[in-house]
Amino acid sequence: MLKSLNSGVSGLGANQTKLDVIGNNIANVGTTAFKGSRVRFQDELNQTIQDAGVPTTNQGGSNAAQVGLGVKLAGIDTMMNQGAIQTTGRNLDAAIDGEGYFVLGSGPAVFTDNTINVNQSTGQHSVDQNSLSQAGMNLMYTRDGSFTLDDQGNLLSSNGLRIMGYSLTNDNSTTPPTAAAPNSVIAGGFSFQFGPGEALNGYTVVLGKIGEGTLTSASVDTTNRKIILNGDFSDAGKISSASAEKAINDVLSANGIAQTVSVGGTAIPVYGTSSNIVAGGVTAVAPSNVTAGGFNFSFNQGSQLNGYTVKLGNIAAGTVTSATINNTNNVITLNADLTTLGAVRALDIQTELQNTIQTAQATTPSLAGASITVSGSPINIGASEAISGGEVSYRGMDFSFVDSNGTPQLDGYTIQLGTITAGTPTSATIDTTNEIITVNGDINSMTAFDYQRAIQNATGLSSGVIVNVSGTQTPLSNIASGLIDGGKASVNPGTVTSSNFSFAFGPGEALNGYKIKIGTISQGTQLSTDVDTANKTITINGDFVTPNAIGQDQLTAVLNNSLSKKGINQTITATGTPLTIPGSTSNPVTGGTPLQSMGADGVIAFVDGDKNLYAYDGNLKSLRIPDTVHDDATGTDLKVKTFSIGSDGVITATLDNGKIAALGQIAMAQFKNPAGLTKDGNNSYSDSITSGAPSFRSGVGTKGEDNSALYGNVKSSSLEASNVDLAQQFTDMIVASRAFQANGKTITTGDQVLQDIINLVR
């Protein structure tokens, strides 16, 4: 028989199989996550017609002559490359972008711990087959994420198999999740109860800032495991349990701690934490400057010279510089030669004033500490020109000196002013030796007639001299200062008390209006003080729990250092022993155990999806999306409004109170040889001896080896399309069809050859 007939028959069979595979690929081009197949051929046996010849001396070697006996099927490979990700908008749809398979369970629902065990230790990530058998569960795998729910909220594949995954917690996932609440504790009169969980085990509740006006707030010291409550404990009813509860829960949430706290009871007030307002202090102020006689008078700080005036006394030529103080009329009188140009200096006036004030302190103690500084140049009043022809003009007035016969008198004499202070009686003296007429009196009140009468009656005037003065004198300004005013003496504020300390102040008014109060009181708090210049408060922070932890000298030094840094020069002195505040620190919180999202009865408990999550990835469970989530902390059921699937497979639900609950995490597996998986239909696979055992993805926050980086991300509201390339399939179909036809033609041709052989016999 012709060998070509066998070859043709084998070719028909092989290409028929290829067409079958192509037909199946094309049929499943719209199947979710379908993986197309390909056919591989191998040649059949070969018949050797002539063996290969060995080369000889005279002839080269020859190749063997072989006739092939056809083709056979080498294998059908599943092409496991990823299909396109298509958005569906359905929140129960999920696609895997990358490596991995969803894990399906065929069998009864599993909610209890340690039923199906997964080893997540280094290099393992395998499921315990014995636990699978005991649970009555068979695992299969799929990339078809078109999930559904049943009437109990169980998450299922499109063909009704259970979606397997991990339960979640906000606590340590290595501790048995018995959902026990810690013991309650007491601090500051409040009672603190805790929701189930272990995050707060080892914490203590301590009072922090408790002074008057402190807003209710809280902070968490995760290093030293403290919940610090701040508020106004200065009087009854200033801080409520409701405000304390909100402040603590807000700060726990902000620090990623999902465990909740409820606060009951009434705060115990701590009296004496704030002082009265500091009052009565006065800072010394210098009086305003005054001027007299051309001099400028400035004063040191203090009120000693308030109400005094500085006046010019005797200003005549040759007057010795001196000063007098009249404490009855509060007048300082200066005597100096203001007639002769340059006869007196400001320093001379200052020296005499200081000496006079110092002397006066013996009889007038109120002047103690007073000091005057003099600057400027004196006014020059001057004297008249020498009398000539019995006449002279001086200060706007005309003077005439004659005898009864009209003969001019006193030629060569000059006229000057003497003592000019207000209230000085009008008089005149005549110095015949130096030919000087000196006029005394209340200078700006005197008239020409006063001058005339004073000179006419002066001792030493020659008999028979007739004096005549006419005109209006020119006023003399700046002969007396204004009232010295504005000076203030230093006064110490009154003593105040706070936190059992008594506080005395140095002189001054910088601290008027301030209050001293307690700030942070917690045990171990380092002593410090805060000076708030805007609100005028001085806050003392320190250990007011340990008896005598704060010394008065230490507090004094810290207070004055803080004041100095704020530019406040006034001092404070603290005396006494500190207030000791009992009951400000609770006992440690103990006894809490983790709460997991999935209970043994299948009830989903509230685990905060906005906080750190940890998977119990050693236990594989059946996932569900319920209508309500039970809040163990409050004992209430919260309605599920919407849900979504995260990129890590974590399923979260938005509840009717706005919180986010973590329901569970979808498990994933992968294989060393995915092409070796056995197709079970319905878009699912089973592992085989060629695929290798499944390796399970570790859950979020695993305590074992984290292998999640080896897996793809979950794309929610999406599905993976078939990876079949229609263009390639049609091309392959054409090739297979032509190959089938060609093999048929081989058989037909062989038949014709056999017919010809038969005809030869005839």
Side-chain angles (χ1 to χ4, degrees):
M1 180 174 284
L2 296 174
K3 297 178 179 65
S4 59
L5 291 176
N6 288 329
S7 298
V9 170
S10 66
L12 288 175
N15 281 286
Q16 177 61 57
T17 301
K18 183 172 183 178
L19 285 171
D20 291 341
V21 171
I22 292 172
N24 183 64
N25 288 343
I26 294 174
N28 285 283
V29 71
T31 301
T32 301
F34 177 77
K35 304 303 178 186
S37 300
R38 71 177 184 183
V39 176
R40 291 184 290 105
F41 296 153
Q42 288 180 341
D43 59 345
E44 195 72 75
L45 295 173
N46 290 273
Q47 181 179 0
T48 302
I49 305 300
Q50 177 180 318
D51 292 330
V54 179
T56 64
T57 303
N58 299 319
Q59 184 176 333
S62 61
N63 294 327
Q66 294 179 302
V67 177
L69 299 180
V71 66
K72 67 178 180 179
L73 185 66
I76 300 175
D77 299 328
T78 302
M79 310 303 292
M80 303 305 290
N81 57 295
Q82 181 178 311
I85 304 296
Q86 298 176 335
T87 301
T88 65
R90 179 173 177 265
N91 60 353
L92 276 172
D93 288 342
I96 300 174
D97 186 9
E99 299 294 326
Y101 295 83
F102 298 119
V103 181
L104 308 177
S106 175
V110 176
F111 302 125
T112 57
D113 297 322
N114 303 316
T115 300
I116 301 177
N117 299 322
V118 179
N119 185 349
Q120 296 287 8
S121 60
T122 303
Q124 298 297 320
H125 306 285
S126 58
V127 69
D128 185 338
Q129 295 298 322
N130 290 331
S131 65
L132 270 177
S133 177
Q134 292 173 2
M137 183 70 73
N138 181 42
L139 298 184
M140 289 178 284
Y141 310 92
T142 187
R143 286 182 65 92
D144 179 0
S146 52
F147 302 145
T148 61
L149 299 175
D150 64 12
D151 60 338
Q152 296 178 343
N154 293 310
L155 188 62
L156 307 174
S157 68
S158 58
N159 60 329
L161 298 181
R162 303 183 188 281
I163 306 302
M164 307 301 291
Y166 305 125
S167 183
L168 298 171
T169 182
N170 295 126
D171 296 304
N172 188 336
S173 61
T174 61
T175 304
T178 57
N183 62 302
S184 62
V185 298
I186 296 174
F190 288 126
S191 174
F192 300 87
Q193 292 83 34
F194 304 88
E198 69 163 8
L200 296 178
N201 283 357
Y203 274 78
T204 55
V205 180
V206 302
L207 301 187
K209 297 178 180 178
I210 67 166
E212 180 183 88
T214 302
L215 298 177
T216 303
S217 65
S219 60
V220 176
D221 181 350
T222 55
T223 302
N224 297 304
R225 302 186 75 78
K226 292 180 181 179
I227 299 172
I228 302 164
L229 176 62
N230 308 306
D232 188 345
F233 284 81
S234 65
D235 205 347
K238 292 287 188 176
I239 178 173
S240 67
S241 59
S243 63
E245 179 177 310
K246 182 179 185 305
I248 291 175
N249 284 314
D250 286 349
V251 76
L252 289 176
S253 179
N255 281 270
I257 299 174
Q259 198 169 355
T260 58
V261 178
S262 60
V263 182
T266 304
I268 298 175
V270 181
Y271 297 110
T273 62
S274 182
S275 74
N276 294 326
I277 294 175
V278 178
V282 176
T283 300
V285 177
S288 301
N289 294 356
V290 297
T291 59
F295 294 109
N296 181 62
F297 301 88
S298 58
F299 310 91
N300 66 321
Q301 295 176 341
S303 60
Q304 301 95 322
L305 294 175
N306 280 359
Y308 281 78
T309 56
V310 180
K311 298 181 178 181
L312 296 182
N314 188 358
I315 64 170
T319 301
V320 176
T321 303
S322 64
T324 60
I325 297 179
N326 185 332
N327 294 316
T328 301
N329 298 318
N330 290 347
V331 174
I332 301 172
T333 303
L334 298 178
N335 304 302
D337 182 353
L338 300 184
T339 301
T340 306
L341 185 64
V344 66
R345 301 173 302 165
L347 181 59
D348 301 328
I349 299 294
Q350 177 176 313
T351 300
E352 288 302 319
L353 280 172
Q354 288 297 110
N355 292 336
T356 301
I357 290 172
Q358 187 172 359
T359 301
Q361 291 176 7
T363 55
T364 312
S366 61
L367 292 177
S371 176
I372 301 178
T373 302
V374 183
S375 60
S377 300
I379 58 174
N380 182 252
I381 298 175
S384 70
E385 294 181 356
I387 299 172
S388 176
E391 295 181 349
V392 70
S393 294
Y394 182 53
R395 301 192 63 249
M397 297 175 290
D398 296 323
F399 292 79
S400 172
F401 302 92
V402 296
D403 59 14
S404 57
N405 297 319
T407 304
Q409 301 294 315
L410 302 182
D411 280 0
Y413 278 72
T414 58
I415 303 172
Q416 67 174 9
L417 298 179
T419 302
I420 61 173
T421 309
T424 301
T426 304
S427 66
T429 61
I430 297 177
D431 181 354
T432 56
T433 303
N434 296 306
E435 296 186 335
I436 298 174
I437 301 172
T438 302
V439 180
N440 307 301
D442 188 347
I443 191 64
N444 287 327
S445 299
M446 293 170 63
T447 64
F449 178 73
D450 293 329
Y451 275 88
Q452 177 178 313
R453 183 178 56 187
I455 297 172
Q456 189 70 65
N457 295 327
T459 301
L461 182 66
S462 300
S463 178
V465 176
I466 300 171
V467 181
N468 184 42
V469 182
S470 62
T472 303
Q473 72 169 336
T474 302
L476 187 61
S477 63
N478 200 225
I479 61 174
S481 73
L483 200 66
I484 299 173
D485 194 20
K488 292 182 180 180
S490 297
V491 178
N492 296 59
T495 301
V496 298
T497 59
S498 171
S499 61
N500 216 39
F501 283 107
S502 177
F503 299 94
F505 304 89
E509 62 187 12
L511 294 177
N512 282 1
Y514 275 77
K515 296 181 77 172
I516 301 176
K517 66 178 185 177
I518 285 180
T520 303
I521 65 162
S522 308
Q523 188 173 30
T525 301
Q526 184 177 2
L527 178 63
S528 66
T529 53
D530 300 321
V531 179
D532 183 350
T533 56
N535 296 305
K536 291 196 170 184
T537 57
I538 300 172
T539 304
I540 303 171
N541 307 303
D543 184 349
F544 286 90
V545 177
T546 305
N548 299 317
I550 302 172
Q552 62 183 21
D553 293 338
Q554 179 190 18
L555 178 56
T556 297
V558 172
L559 279 168
N560 288 308
N561 183 53
S562 296
L563 291 173
S564 178
K565 288 181 178 179
K566 289 289 185 176
I568 300 174
N569 294 323
Q570 196 170 358
T571 60
I572 300 179
T573 301
T575 56
T577 56
L579 179 69
T580 301
I581 303 173
S584 61
T585 302
S586 75
N587 293 326
V589 177
T590 59
T593 59
L595 169 73
Q596 65 174 334
S597 60
M598 187 173 295
D601 54 1
V603 173
I604 303 298
F606 176 74
V607 170
D608 197 333
D610 284 333
K611 304 298 182 297
N612 293 332
L613 295 173
Y614 304 93
Y616 284 98
D617 54 358
N619 298 310
L620 205 58
K621 297 183 178 182
S622 308
L623 297 181
R624 58 170 35 183
I625 301 176
D627 292 330
T628 60
V629 171
H630 184 72
D631 188 348
D632 286 62
T634 61
T636 59
D637 290 327
L638 304 171
K639 186 176 181 180
V640 173
K641 296 178 65 177
T642 60
F643 61 87
S644 62
I645 302 173
S647 62
D648 53 3
V650 172
I651 304 172
T652 56
T654 302
L655 307 180
D656 56 2
N657 64 353
K659 291 184 177 180
I660 304 298
L663 309 181
Q665 183 180 13
I666 297 173
M668 292 174 64
Q670 64 175 228
F671 304 85
K672 290 184 178 179
N673 177 28
L677 291 170
T678 300
K679 293 182 179 180
D680 296 326
N682 298 317
N683 286 350
S684 61
Y685 302 88
S686 296
D687 59 309
S688 69
I689 57 174
T690 57
S691 68
S695 174
F696 289 83
R697 176 180 179 171
S698 57
V700 292
T702 180
K703 301 303 180 184
E705 181 186 45
D706 187 355
N707 68 345
S708 59
L710 303 177
Y711 292 77
N713 291 328
V714 177
K715 299 291 186 181
S716 63
S717 302
S718 301
L719 289 175
E720 181 183 355
S722 169
N723 68 352
V724 173
D725 184 347
L726 272 180
Q728 183 64 49
Q729 296 302 312
F730 281 128
T731 301
D732 291 345
M733 184 169 59
I734 293 171
V735 172
S737 175
R738 294 305 181 195
F740 189 91
Q741 292 175 355
N743 280 284
K745 188 65 174 177
T746 300
I747 295 173
T748 301
T749 302
D751 177 58
Q752 291 175 352
V753 171
L754 288 175
Q755 184 64 45
D756 289 343
I757 293 173
I758 293 171
N759 289 337
L760 288 174
V761 175
R762 293 179 182 175

